[in-house]
Amino acid sequence: MISLYRCLQILGMAVFWVTTCQAAMDESPPAQAAAARIDANQNVILENQNLRMVFERNQDGYSAAVISVYDGKQWRKMAVSRPIGHVAYSTANGKTVESDIVPTKYEILKSDGPLVQVRFSAERVDEDAAIWNFVYTFQIESGKHTVKTHYQAWANKDRQLLYFQGPDLYAGEGSFGSRKQLALVPGLEYLEADEKSSSDRDNDPRFANRYAPHPYKITIPLMAVEADNCLVGVMWDMLQKWDGEHVTLSARFASPNFHDKKDNHLMGLFLPSIPEFVPENGDRASKAYPLKANNKIAIEAHIVAEASAKLLNMIDHYLAVFGMPKKLELPITYDAALELGRVGYMETLYDAKVPGTKLWEPSPAYPAPGPCAILWRLSLDAKDPAGKKMIRDRIDLVVNKALEREGAKGLTDWLDGRDVPFNKKFPASCGVRSHLLPFYIGHMEDGLAAWKKRVYEELLDKQRADGSWAYLGDMAEKIRQGDDIVDGTMTELTGGVLMYARITGDERALKAGLKALKHMERFIVPRGQNTWEVPKHAPDIQAAGLHVWCCLEAYQITGEKQYLDQARYWAKTGVPFVYMWKAPDRPVMKFSTIACLGTSWYNVICWFGRPVQWCGLPYGYWVLKLAEYDQSFPWRAIGEGILDSGIEQMLMIVDKKKGLYADALNIAGEGKQGVVGGPAWEPELIMKCIFLMRGQGVEVVTKVLHADGKRIHVSTAAILKSAGLAGQGRSVSFELEYPAGETSHATVAGLGPNIEVRKAGRVLARTDDLDTAKEGWKPNADGLLLLKFKHDEHLVKVSVAEK
């Protein structure tokens, strides 16, 4: 309930807002470096080349600050901070006092140069004759888009503190108002233009309120709004000790500002901490903080304001100030994690009656190709012959069952699960499909034919004229949320089509995949990946990761920079779901990943503050893959961090469910460990990420070579060391690395059927049956060249030339 004081404040400040904002707008050109000055109206101005903060003086003192950015032609007002300070406390007789703090004094600590500082101060004597002191320091550097702030208070007597205000921004006040393009509170809100914070669209009303959240629900401590191609926000260090002992600042957010019922967006920081003193979604302490005489409390934060900027620039600003979190220190090696994964597949999740493995504990066992491919990749590094044989014998058993059940189709990965009830039959058994197994074990001709049949029948033949696919499923309407398409309802389908096009060179698949990507350009927020459980419009990290996959497939085929740019964008959209800090009482938190900003079945399990690593690991995998093409952002560090957190979570349940990892953690729950909940999951992505980081992933790699308007695709499960064209695109040479004594497989698309293949300079014979031949080659029915090589040595040099 809003206090009487607050009501009067809201009503009484309306005229003040207008006059303050009008008076504070200074249209003079920006400074050429950082500068602090006093204007003719005795306003204090702090500025640099990019932003300006005007501290408005009235008859009482400095009552407000106006933040503007320079867009190269004019100043654009972004936010108002008013009042500069506010405090609430209880008096000795239990009365609650609310008081705006209007600084009366200022001091320019440094007026020009690379860094300038201004300090404001105020003193207040309260009802118990206690003397309060308030000091507000603002600092700006030349060329930056940030203002460093430091808000401090103390009293000469013990006080019962209910509220101490830090930076409090009313974004859009006097300018763009409540309009926005996007807004963000990582882990809680990821809003498009017409969406409202604390909405109950994707969360039952009892979960929807996110006005002042538990700090452990915030994955990255920042809040931001993008409007009119400009950015404004605030960011802070969650671990700063605000009284020398306590950590975690409290944050409040309303977009649009439903709290004050104003035409703007509210972003603010305050003390004391939620939930120890302040109840979640409140902004006054229910248990007063005992502020001891002369003990200081402080809030340090950075205000961000940037013209010609996008919402996700805020993450760059955060990392520029606070840095990338340090790598997790694991108690086991990656080799030990791989061995745990082997046990998970071969023992914990294995069902000898099928025989096959499970995706997670409740799902039916299935002779799925994905786990077989992972185990085969693991066997390539096995130094113990008996251990290698054990793994491969198991693979043979499962593969034979798959062939018995479905023929060569059983060697191909699932493609389209839009209408598969997850809780009854979910035949994926791998979150990142690679269609790889025949490239390891053979059956290339039949396996690729079965894959093509699935791609054409399940995907290409069902694609609509606009490039999309119908939204299917029998979920409840609060989950379904209408028939509209979002990016997560398309990513898995689009990626499957483009992967097939990359490996086989199939033109129909390529055109269909690029058409689907074109349709997906209308989306800007990742959402809708898990509509069997979570409301479709709830933003989620898995959609971000699989969107990166789609863009990387297109980039690898075409080489067009636009697709790499799109991959970067969608990778950045997933970062807000990743914890970039760790609370002192949470041993597993940093780099864990929030699955989505919604509630399962709308009203059952709310996912705020509950990491679900099986949703984050596909994202981690694809940003690790992105790191191979782009080093403009710490993608590898993020992907590695997500992997390492997965291993931490694997170790949390190693005694009970060896080789698996927990379905979910409850970071914001009571207790020091956080609740481990739900059935455990297969170790797929943990193992795949380790292999990918080591340089030979569990994947089919492709090099697409371009010459005279044609494309030559070389694909293999071996390490493709090099590939090049000769003879005006009529000949291709490449090098494959694979363990000596093993047999590798490759395909070449784009050359004619009349060819000559040489291995290490020796002509390789054509064969009609690759499965029985020691090595050789043949074209399949589509003209795709299928090649098989026995590796007498680690490195094999191959040339394929048209005659």
Side-chain angles (χ1 to χ4, degrees):
M1 181 178 294
I2 301 177
S3 67
L4 176 61
Y5 172 86
R6 188 61 178 155
C7 293
L8 293 173
Q9 184 187 46
I10 292 170
L11 294 171
M13 292 300 289
V15 174
F16 170 78
W17 279 353
V18 175
T19 56
T20 295
C21 294
Q22 290 175 344
M25 198 63 184
D26 183 339
E27 297 293 348
S28 61
Q32 297 305 301
R37 59 186 173 87
I38 308 299
D39 71 6
N41 296 316
Q42 297 302 301
N43 299 319
V44 177
I45 299 177
L46 190 69
E47 64 180 332
N48 65 10
Q49 303 94 321
N50 304 311
L51 65 86
R52 174 174 287 166
M53 196 166 183
V54 178
F55 297 88
E56 167 78 5
R57 183 175 179 84
N58 64 16
Q59 61 184 6
D60 298 319
Y62 294 93
S63 54
V66 178
I67 301 160
S68 304
V69 295
Y70 193 68
D71 66 4
K73 296 180 181 179
Q74 62 181 346
W75 287 102
R76 301 175 66 178
K77 189 182 302 178
M78 295 304 298
V80 175
S81 180
R82 63 93 199 119
I84 290 176
H86 187 87
V87 68
Y89 55 90
S90 293
T91 63
N93 63 8
K95 178 184 176 183
T96 296
V97 176
E98 300 266 357
S99 177
D100 287 346
I101 305 303
V102 180
T104 55
K105 300 177 182 178
Y106 77 87
E107 182 181 2
I108 297 178
L109 304 177
K110 189 168 177 57
S111 62
D112 56 35
L115 181 151
V116 298
Q117 285 182 321
V118 176
R119 182 167 63 204
F120 297 86
S121 60
E123 185 176 279
R124 185 183 188 281
V125 179
D126 71 15
E127 294 76 4
D128 298 319
I131 301 173
W132 290 77
N133 283 277
F134 301 91
V135 177
Y136 306 95
T137 306
F138 301 86
Q139 172 182 302
I140 192 170
E141 295 181 46
S142 179
K144 301 285 187 177
H145 300 278
T146 56
V147 178
K148 184 177 181 180
T149 69
H150 189 268
Y151 289 54
Q152 190 176 59
W154 68 94
N156 69 343
K157 293 183 179 182
D158 290 356
R159 299 283 82 194
Q160 296 295 302
L161 182 73
L162 303 177
Y163 177 83
F164 173 63
Q165 175 189 299
D168 218 39
L169 303 183
Y170 294 89
E173 179 60 39
S175 54
F176 54 83
S178 58
R179 291 185 298 104
K180 63 176 181 291
Q181 272 72 55
L182 290 161
L184 178 67
V185 182
L188 291 157
E189 304 280 13
Y190 200 154
L191 306 172
E192 292 191 48
D194 296 326
E195 295 177 325
K196 299 178 180 180
S197 64
S198 292
S199 165
D200 62 2
R201 181 194 61 191
D202 305 320
N203 300 277
D204 185 84
R206 61 198 171 104
F207 302 129
N209 190 355
R210 285 151 274 173
Y211 164 67
H214 190 304
Y216 290 10
K217 294 180 181 179
I218 300 174
T219 56
I220 309 174
L222 62 86
M223 299 177 280
V225 172
E226 177 196 336
D228 297 340
N229 201 34
C230 294
L231 173 69
V232 63
V234 62
M235 57 191 189
W236 65 100
D237 176 8
M238 194 69 88
L239 298 180
Q240 61 185 277
K241 294 183 177 180
W242 48 266
D243 64 351
E245 177 183 354
H246 290 88
V247 296
T248 67
L249 305 181
S250 298
R252 59 189 191 134
F253 180 82
S255 174
N257 187 357
F258 60 82
H259 182 262
D260 299 317
K261 297 181 174 57
K262 289 296 179 180
D263 186 27
N264 56 37
H265 310 268
L266 169 62
M267 295 177 279
L269 299 175
F270 65 92
L271 294 174
S273 297
I274 296 170
E276 181 178 356
F277 301 100
V278 180
E280 186 169 11
N281 296 313
D283 54 19
R284 296 298 186 273
S286 57
K287 182 182 80 172
Y289 169 74
L291 179 61
K292 298 299 183 181
N294 298 313
N295 281 1
K296 296 178 179 179
I297 57 172
I299 294 175
E300 186 170 285
H302 298 256
I303 295 171
V304 176
E306 184 179 8
S308 303
K310 298 299 182 183
L311 179 77
L312 297 175
N313 286 35
M314 194 72 184
I315 297 172
D316 299 273
H317 289 302
Y318 177 85
L319 293 179
V321 171
F322 299 107
M324 187 67 194
K326 292 182 179 179
K327 176 178 168 59
L328 294 173
E329 296 183 5
L330 296 174
I332 65 171
T333 65
Y334 283 163
D335 283 333
L338 290 172
E339 172 58 18
L340 284 175
R342 183 198 67 77
V343 173
Y345 273 132
M346 296 185 67
E347 298 178 20
T348 312
L349 287 177
Y350 182 68
D351 185 342
K353 295 178 182 179
V354 175
T357 55
K358 301 177 181 181
L359 172 68
W360 67 332
E361 288 180 290
S363 64
Y366 180 77
C372 291
I374 295 169
L375 290 172
W376 188 278
R377 172 65 188 84
L378 181 66
S379 74
L380 292 175
D381 296 332
K383 296 179 173 59
D384 173 27
K388 176 181 286 191
K389 183 178 185 304
M390 176 183 64
I391 294 172
R392 295 200 174 175
D393 286 348
R394 175 63 59 79
I395 294 170
D396 287 344
L397 187 65
V398 175
V399 166
N400 288 336
K401 185 63 177 182
L403 292 171
E404 175 189 323
R405 285 175 51 146
E406 299 181 280
K409 180 183 178 182
L411 305 182
T412 65
D413 286 323
W414 166 78
L415 290 171
D416 180 8
R418 287 173 294 164
D419 57 355
V420 176
F422 188 88
N423 60 338
K424 295 180 181 178
K425 183 182 178 184
F426 195 72
S429 195
C430 271
V432 171
R433 264 76 80 191
S434 59
H435 305 281
L436 168 68
L437 191 55
F439 280 83
Y440 275 151
I441 68 170
H443 302 282
M444 285 285 285
E445 187 169 15
D446 292 342
L448 286 168
W451 185 20
K452 177 181 179 179
K453 179 177 173 63
R454 296 193 72 167
V455 170
Y456 271 62
E457 292 181 357
E458 296 180 31
L459 301 181
L460 299 184
D461 293 346
K462 295 180 180 179
Q463 189 178 31
R464 300 192 291 199
D466 64 358
S468 69
W469 286 268
Y471 177 41
L472 303 179
D474 58 358
M475 66 290 291
E477 185 52 39
K478 281 188 177 292
I479 308 299
R480 183 179 180 82
Q481 296 182 326
D483 294 324
D484 61 309
I485 298 299
V486 298
D487 79 309
T489 64
M490 290 187 62
T491 50
E492 206 147 42
L493 312 180
T494 304
V497 168
L498 285 169
M499 176 180 277
Y500 181 76
R502 168 174 61 83
I503 293 173
T504 67
D506 187 286
E507 286 295 331
R508 181 183 170 189
L510 176 59
K511 290 178 181 177
L514 296 182
K515 189 174 186 179
L517 267 186
K518 184 68 177 177
H519 185 91
M520 292 164 70
E521 289 179 4
R522 67 195 65 196
F523 307 128
I524 57 175
V525 172
R527 58 177 95 236
Q529 192 64 47
N530 291 293
T531 53
W532 54 273
E533 178 180 356
V534 177
K536 177 178 62 182
H537 290 107
D540 75 67
I541 189 173
Q542 205 170 357
L546 296 187
H547 209 138
V548 175
W549 168 38
C550 298
C551 299
L552 286 179
E553 293 289 356
Y555 177 67
Q556 289 179 82
I557 299 169
T558 67
E560 295 180 15
K561 183 177 178 294
Q562 61 169 315
Y563 298 118
L564 184 59
D565 291 341
Q566 290 175 21
R568 286 192 200 99
Y569 174 81
W570 286 102
K572 189 75 75 72
T573 67
V575 176
F577 298 85
V578 183
Y579 275 100
M580 291 291 186
W581 68 287
K582 187 178 87 67
D585 62 347
R586 290 294 182 264
V588 177
M589 181 173 176
K590 187 169 66 174
F591 292 119
S592 63
T593 56
I594 297 300
C596 64
L597 309 185
T599 298
S600 288
W601 303 289
Y602 185 72
N603 60 5
V604 179
I605 304 172
C606 181
W607 294 109
F608 303 131
R610 294 175 183 260
V612 181
Q613 211 68 0
W614 68 264
C615 290
L617 277 164
Y619 169 80
Y621 180 89
W622 289 115
V623 297
L624 282 173
K625 194 67 182 174
L626 174 60
E628 298 177 6
Y629 303 94
D630 178 67
Q631 292 78 49
S632 64
F633 195 79
W635 304 122
R636 184 177 174 90
I638 291 172
E640 186 174 5
I642 292 171
L643 161 64
D644 291 348
S645 179
I647 294 173
E648 284 187 326
Q649 295 175 49
M650 178 184 275
L651 295 176
M652 292 177 76
I653 59 172
V654 70
D655 293 335
K656 296 180 179 179
K657 303 174 182 182
K658 194 170 185 178
L660 314 186
Y661 60 93
D663 177 51
L665 307 181
N666 190 355
I667 294 294
E670 296 181 0
K672 292 188 175 182
Q673 181 64 46
V675 177
V676 179
W681 282 78
E682 64 170 338
E684 173 218 0
L685 267 304
I686 289 175
M687 300 177 78
K688 282 185 176 178
C689 287
I690 292 173
F691 286 129
L692 187 63
M693 288 176 55
R694 289 180 167 182
Q696 186 180 359
V698 187
E699 59 178 347
V700 179
V701 295
T702 303
K703 180 68 174 178
V704 180
L705 306 167
H706 299 261
D708 297 329
K710 65 186 295 188
R711 298 188 320 274
I712 309 298
H713 299 234
V714 180
S715 300
T716 181
I719 296 176
L720 187 54
K721 287 291 290 184
S722 64
L725 292 176
Q728 296 180 324
R730 298 181 66 243
S731 174
V732 60
S733 299
F734 52 92
E735 295 179 316
L736 303 179
E737 281 189 358
Y738 210 59
E742 299 284 354
T743 298
S744 72
H745 299 263
T747 60
V748 175
L751 293 179
N754 189 20
I755 61 151
E756 179 181 79
V757 178
R758 290 179 177 268
K759 170 191 168 187
R762 175 177 58 85
V763 174
L764 199 65
R766 174 172 173 162
T767 180
D768 291 329
D769 189 351
L770 277 179
D771 291 331
T772 59
K774 178 181 177 181
E775 56 183 1
W777 65 274
K778 69 173 296 186
N780 73 359
D782 297 316
L784 181 67
L785 299 177
L786 313 179
L787 303 104
K788 181 179 182 180
F789 305 105
K790 185 69 176 179
H791 282 249
D792 303 313
E793 297 180 355
H794 185 63
L795 181 70
V796 167
K797 296 183 178 181
V798 180
S799 65
V800 183
E802 293 179 345
K803 293 182 180 178

